[in-house]
Amino acid sequence: MEQNVDKTAQSEHLQPLSKPVKSAPRAMILLCHGSADPEWTRPFVALQDMIAAKSPQTPVAIAYLDPAKPNFADVTAQLAATGVQEIIVAPIFLARGGHIKKDLPELVEAARTLHGLAFQVLPTIGEIDTLLEAIAGWVIHAAEVDQY
């Protein structure tokens, strides 16, 4: 299977499920939109690495909606095959648009039905006050020091 990811952007973790997953009861999926540009994946891989470093006992995978691979169905199938029973989905989206309101519930239900997995879907980034405050602080700081 050819992967649409820049090799320098791949982590040692499950990006994009390039290594076998050790059996664990829970796993995390960072759900991202996707892009044909392989450089686009870099911040998501960095986030995956940070999470994996802080929670090494929990497999962390990235799944894309389109057009990048792997997709949500492929990742959930691979995690289920390793014995994972519960998946925490972190939608790395700023707001609850069509993908989160319509596509994600359909993907979760399909994986739940097919693999018997339990899911916990976290809120989007824009629904978390501390994250919005961090973004606001960054914007204000960048504007004050003319950093960007």
Side-chain angles (χ1 to χ4, degrees):
M1 171 193 265
E2 185 175 322
Q3 297 175 3
N4 190 18
V5 176
D6 181 348
K7 297 294 184 195
T8 61
Q10 290 191 10
S11 79
E12 294 178 4
H13 312 293
L14 303 178
Q15 169 48 33
L17 290 175
S18 58
K19 291 187 176 186
V21 180
K22 293 180 181 173
S23 182
R26 293 174 84 179
M28 296 180 203
I29 293 177
L30 305 179
L31 181 66
C32 308
H33 189 277
S35 171
D37 182 350
E39 290 184 26
W40 180 90
T41 65
R42 288 176 194 254
F44 304 106
V45 172
L47 180 60
Q48 178 188 33
D49 287 341
M50 289 178 210
I51 294 167
K54 292 178 187 228
S55 186
Q57 73 285 359
T58 306
V60 182
I62 299 175
Y64 302 101
L65 290 174
D66 50 41
K69 299 287 182 193
N71 63 33
F72 189 83
D74 293 340
V75 171
T76 56
Q78 190 162 3
L79 289 171
T82 69
V84 165
Q85 299 165 1
E86 179 184 9
I87 296 176
I88 300 162
V89 180
I92 311 302
F93 286 73
L94 192 54
R96 294 180 48 81
H99 284 311
I100 302 304
K101 291 179 182 178
K102 181 181 180 303
D103 299 337
L104 180 55
E106 291 173 1
L107 292 167
V108 165
E109 188 54 37
R112 181 179 292 140
T113 301
L114 186 61
H115 304 294
L117 297 167
F119 285 89
Q120 176 186 354
V121 178
L122 301 179
T124 61
I125 293 169
E127 296 173 278
I128 307 298
D129 289 341
T130 54
L131 294 175
L132 290 177
E133 289 170 14
I135 293 168
W138 163 73
V139 169
I140 291 166
H141 176 74
E144 288 173 352
V145 297
D146 198 27
Q147 187 176 12
Y148 293 94

